[in-house]
């Protein structure tokens, strides 16, 4: 039933203008046209999207809020590092990054935080 519906990840932000600047200028996303006093919607093809939702008192989660699928995770990491994004490194049981990238069965991924402290991910399918 839901396989053909629009999917939107909702990411809470404390400062909408600061977050808008990060998502537009740093990540290169384009906002949609519909004005919303409580947030901002970024959409690519009409089937997926990311909404920044103004919540000044929202707690920051340590869990990944959204993941961007890319064709080359290392190239995407380099490009975003060039724009000032700082990637996380992990050395945990079952998850270890090398040059910011973790490799698991069928996936390569790298994590970073946005201007609000939300954890975001880049992932590449490998199998």
């Amino acid at each position: 039933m839901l396989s053909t519906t629009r999917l939107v990840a909702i990411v809470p932000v404390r400062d909408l203008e600061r977050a808008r600047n990060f998502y537009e200028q740093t990540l290169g996303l384009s906002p949609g046209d519909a004005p919303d006093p409580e947030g901002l919607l970024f959409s690519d093809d009409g089937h997926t999207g990311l909404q920044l939702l103004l919540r000044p008192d929202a707690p920051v989660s340590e869990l990944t809020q959204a993941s961007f699928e890319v064709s080359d995770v290392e190239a995407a990491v380099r490009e975003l590092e060039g724009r000032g994004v700082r990637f996380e490194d992990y050395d945990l049981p079952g998850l270890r990054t090398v040059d910011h990238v973790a490799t698991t069965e069928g996936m390569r991924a790298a994590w970073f935080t946005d201007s609000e402290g939300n954890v975001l991910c880049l992932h590449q399918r490998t199998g």
Side-chain angles (χ1 to χ4, degrees), residues 72-114:
D72 183 339
V73 73
E74 285 88 355
V77 166
R78 284 191 305 272
E79 181 176 341
L80 289 178
E81 279 185 316
R83 295 178 181 200
V85 172
R86 294 177 58 189
F87 283 83
E88 303 294 322
D89 285 307
Y90 301 102
D91 191 1
L92 305 168
L95 181 70
R96 182 172 181 270
T97 56
V98 175
D99 296 327
H100 311 306
V101 177
T103 301
T104 62
E105 187 174 330
M107 189 87 56
R108 297 173 52 70
W111 292 266
F112 62 98
T113 56
D114 70 3

Side-chain angles (χ1 to χ4, degrees), residues 58-79:
V60 175
S61 174
E62 294 179 9
L63 303 174
T64 303
Q65 298 295 306
S67 186
F68 299 90
E69 187 170 333
V70 296
S71 60
D72 183 339
V73 73
E74 285 88 355
V77 166
R78 284 191 305 272
E79 181 176 341

Side-chain angles (χ1 to χ4, degrees), residues 13-77:
V13 299
R14 293 183 176 153
D15 183 319
L16 189 58
E17 285 308 308
R18 178 177 60 202
R20 178 185 185 140
N21 183 59
F22 177 83
Y23 282 83
E24 281 187 48
Q25 302 302 316
T26 304
L27 299 186
L29 300 180
S30 298
D33 296 330
D36 182 348
E38 289 191 22
L40 183 64
L41 180 65
F42 294 91
S43 183
D44 56 0
D45 59 5
H47 296 290
T48 60
L50 180 106
Q51 181 176 7
L52 305 181
L53 187 61
L54 181 60
R55 291 293 181 259
D57 298 327
V60 175
S61 174
E62 294 179 9
L63 303 174
T64 303
Q65 298 295 306
S67 186
F68 299 90
E69 187 170 333
V70 296
S71 60
D72 183 339
V73 73
E74 285 88 355
V77 166

